[in-house]
Amino acid sequence: MTIAIGSDHGGFKLKEEIKKYLLKDNVEIKDFGTNSEESCDYADFAYPVALEVAKNNFDRGILVCGSGVGVTITANRVKGIRAVNAYNEDIAKQSREHGDCNVLCLGGRYLSFNQAKKIIDVWLNTPFSNDERHVRRIKKIDQ
Ligand code: RB5
């Protein structure tokens, strides 16, 4: 699996921990920044990650900002992106089963690394249900 990852300063620390964690698995990661805790604007990192996923250059995207809100709003502006601000494992699971979400957004100031790891594991390993009603609903988003 290939993953594009990015954050602003509020998500930088968690992004770095996530990168190390995922490198243990059979996952190829490209980091789109930011590269420090210096203040920056989340859209500058969330938008490129979302574009890369929408173009199918990566299987999934993971974005982190302070709350998860800014990166979710930004990513969802890109056609073909279904981004979820997943704050627990149940939301992560449902976002895959029902929403076929392709970008996971996390709040670095609200989640511990331990919580984030569990959310990521569920999100990466849960397939889309392919149920007719969910396929229909997702099609309507693009229409
Ligand atoms: C930055 O202070 C903060 O606003 C940002 O990381 C994010 O939480 C926005 O939604």
Side-chain angles (χ1 to χ4, degrees):
M1 181 181 285
T2 57
I3 298 179
I5 193 166
S7 77
D8 72 356
H9 55 291
F12 173 73
K13 270 192 179 161
L14 184 57
K15 170 173 71 73
E16 294 305 300
E17 289 179 305
I18 291 169
K19 267 165 43 186
K20 271 186 240 148
Y21 177 61
L22 288 178
L23 285 173
K24 291 191 289 92
D25 298 331
N26 200 13
V27 169
E28 194 186 307
I29 297 175
K30 182 168 175 190
D31 185 355
F32 286 78
T34 187
N35 300 313
S36 75
E37 287 186 274
E38 191 180 324
S39 183
C40 61
D41 301 334
Y42 50 79
D44 293 338
F45 306 95
Y47 191 65
V49 165
L51 273 185
E52 288 294 311
V53 175
K55 286 189 215 159
N56 284 318
N57 290 338
F58 291 85
D59 299 317
R60 305 275 187 92
I62 297 181
L63 290 167
V64 195
C65 66
S67 60
V69 174
V71 289
T72 307
I73 294 170
T74 307
N76 277 318
R77 291 290 173 94
V78 178
K79 189 165 183 179
I81 292 301
R82 294 172 302 280
V84 57
N85 189 3
Y87 46 87
N88 65 34
E89 291 159 78
D90 290 342
I91 298 298
K93 186 165 185 278
Q94 183 171 321
S95 81
R96 290 289 312 136
E97 286 176 343
H98 292 202
D100 197 14
C101 281
N102 48 11
V103 174
L104 172 68
C105 301
L106 300 167
R109 293 181 180 145
Y110 293 88
L111 296 171
S112 66
F113 175 51
N114 199 40
Q115 288 171 311
K117 267 194 311 197
K118 290 181 191 162
I119 291 169
I120 289 167
D121 283 344
V122 168
W123 190 76
L124 289 179
N125 294 308
T126 303
F128 178 47
S129 69
N130 258 308
D131 286 348
E132 188 277 331
R133 69 185 192 284
H134 296 310
V135 172
R136 184 184 69 235
R137 288 166 190 165
I138 289 169
K139 271 193 190 149
K140 281 191 184 178
I141 299 170
D142 289 329
Q143 286 161 8

